[in-house]
Amino acid sequence: MIPEEFAEIARIFRSHGSFAVLAHFRPDGDAIGATLALGKMLQGMGKKVAMLNEDPVPERYRFLEGSGEISLTPAGRVEAEVAVSLDNGAWKRHGERSMRALAGVPLIVNIDHHATNERFGQVNCVRPQEAATCCILHKLVKYMNRPLTPAISSALYAGISTDTGSFQYEKTTPEVMRMAAELLENGVDVAEINRRLYQEVSPASLRITREVLNGMRLEENGALCSYALDWPTKRRLRAGADDTADLVDIIRVIRGVKAAAIFEDLGDGLIRVSLRSKVPGVDVSAVAAQFGGGGHAMAAGIRMRSTLEEAREQVLGRLRGVLRRA
């Protein structure tokens, strides 16, 4: 199925000359892959493109061609005719600096697959049924009859692979697998890209993993697992954002766990919460929404002003309620 918004998006892309392309802060594989795929497609059309993000490209995605072109959002205004938001359910998730920088851009195009998307663009293409934003972009590239170059194909593959849990989650449909096959046919080195994505971690990441395994808490008869990463521990282990990005997946895999939560102190009273569910009846996006966060039913996140312990007790309290009703 071709989204009806594609015709308007294609018209905008063809009729305007300058674009700012960006995704949510603390970008994951889908956010980086989507930024690169769309940025490279627009460049191929002869457009002026600024690929931006509030945060640096995580180390694990820097092997993707063009990743060095994704710049930190500048402190001043971005001069562009169109801003394209990718993989971002809420305008505020661009980050405060990015929101200020984009304040003067007259046209916002919002392309996303989160069910909680706030439809903040003048044009919104929101497809919760899609496994990844990169799945939407795969269709858009083909709709616009643009080439799936090796660089675009690798970026799309990285986004689709990471957002499907390496093709393990329930939205890994036959259509998704056909997309992946086509991307391989267009230049993706599947062995190399999977090695980069899944088989290399930093020493600090392993040290953090040890802390999580030693300090995790199981409750609700083993159905709920959580861990809180405080600032002194992060400093002692010299752990950066790349090293803490996927901690929730370490505890999610425990047999019997239905919901998992990681609480991370980001400093200055800001707490990041990563939530995962393993059963359809436990919707972590609904829990996240109660604290100003969002995401998917089985993967969601929150940024909240609180102490680490207060955040943990408030969010776990809601998760306990969901689990008891499931």
Side-chain angles (χ1 to χ4, degrees):
M1 295 291 293
I2 300 300
E4 61 183 24
E5 300 89 355
F6 274 13
E8 179 63 11
I9 291 172
R11 184 194 66 78
I12 291 169
F13 286 176
R14 291 183 178 120
S15 62
H16 291 77
S18 60
F19 296 82
V21 178
L22 73 168
H24 56 79
F25 51 57
R26 286 200 59 146
D28 58 7
D30 197 22
I32 295 298
T35 300
L36 288 172
L38 183 59
K40 288 297 180 184
M41 188 195 81
L42 291 170
Q43 287 176 349
M45 296 170 64
K47 308 298 182 178
K48 180 181 178 182
V49 182
M51 291 184 276
L52 306 170
N53 200 280
E54 186 93 347
D55 292 320
V57 175
E59 178 68 31
R60 68 187 294 195
Y61 306 118
R62 291 179 191 169
F63 73 93
L64 291 168
E65 184 177 336
S67 63
E69 298 177 49
I70 301 178
S71 303
L72 292 176
T73 311
R77 292 275 182 104
V78 169
E79 298 296 330
E81 298 171 49
V82 182
V84 187
S85 173
L86 299 168
D87 197 43
N88 198 350
W91 183 251
K92 67 181 180 181
R93 295 197 74 242
H94 290 112
E96 293 182 4
R97 190 176 68 252
S98 294
M99 287 191 292
R100 290 193 299 270
L102 296 173
V105 178
L107 179 58
I108 307 296
V109 175
N110 170 24
I111 303 174
D112 184 35
H113 75 129
H114 292 90
T116 55
N117 190 284
E118 297 177 354
R119 270 78 172 175
F120 50 79
Q122 282 86 7
V123 178
N124 299 287
C125 181
V126 179
R127 306 273 293 173
Q129 66 269 42
E130 301 284 359
T133 299
C134 280
C135 290
I136 304 173
L137 291 183
H138 178 272
K139 294 178 179 179
L140 180 61
V141 172
K142 297 187 65 156
Y143 175 83
M144 294 190 64
N145 199 30
R146 301 302 306 172
L148 281 167
T149 65
I152 291 175
S153 295
S154 293
L156 291 175
Y157 182 90
I160 295 170
S161 177
T162 52
D163 245 32
T164 58
S166 189
F167 304 100
Q168 297 179 68
Y169 298 161
E170 63 178 344
K171 286 188 178 179
T172 306
T173 62
E175 181 186 38
V176 169
M177 299 306 287
R178 284 190 289 269
M179 286 183 186
E182 183 176 1
L183 296 173
L184 265 62
E185 291 170 349
N186 284 278
V188 172
D189 184 339
V190 68
E192 175 65 9
I193 199 169
N194 285 334
R195 180 182 70 81
R196 296 279 198 150
L197 290 176
Y198 305 117
Q199 298 174 25
E200 293 186 354
V201 298
S202 69
S205 178
L206 286 180
R207 290 193 292 267
I208 288 285
T209 297
R210 179 187 62 203
E211 295 289 330
V212 173
L213 295 176
N214 286 334
M216 66 185 188
R217 295 183 191 171
L218 278 167
E219 54 182 292
E220 297 298 311
N221 296 316
L224 176 59
C225 190
S226 67
Y227 175 78
L229 178 60
D230 59 43
W231 188 259
T233 299
K234 288 173 63 176
R235 186 171 54 189
R236 172 171 57 85
L237 299 177
R238 299 190 297 277
D242 289 358
D243 305 312
T244 62
D246 300 318
L247 292 181
V248 71
D249 293 320
I250 297 169
I251 58 177
R252 180 186 63 85
V253 300
I254 299 170
R255 184 178 292 115
V257 167
K258 296 180 180 179
I262 290 287
F263 300 84
E264 179 187 353
D265 190 343
L266 299 180
D268 296 325
L270 187 62
I271 306 300
R272 182 176 78 101
V273 187
S274 298
L275 303 174
R276 295 292 184 272
S277 166
K278 287 199 316 195
V279 294
V282 178
D283 183 350
V284 292
S285 70
V287 173
Q290 297 175 53
F291 298 94
H296 305 291
M298 304 186 81
I302 309 164
R303 282 198 178 192
M304 56 193 296
R305 293 285 175 186
S306 177
T307 65
L308 195 61
E309 281 307 312
E310 287 174 351
R312 188 174 194 169
E313 283 312 304
Q314 290 175 20
V315 175
L316 290 182
R318 303 297 174 87
L319 279 174
R320 293 183 193 109
V322 172
L323 286 165
R324 291 167 188 173
R325 293 189 298 270

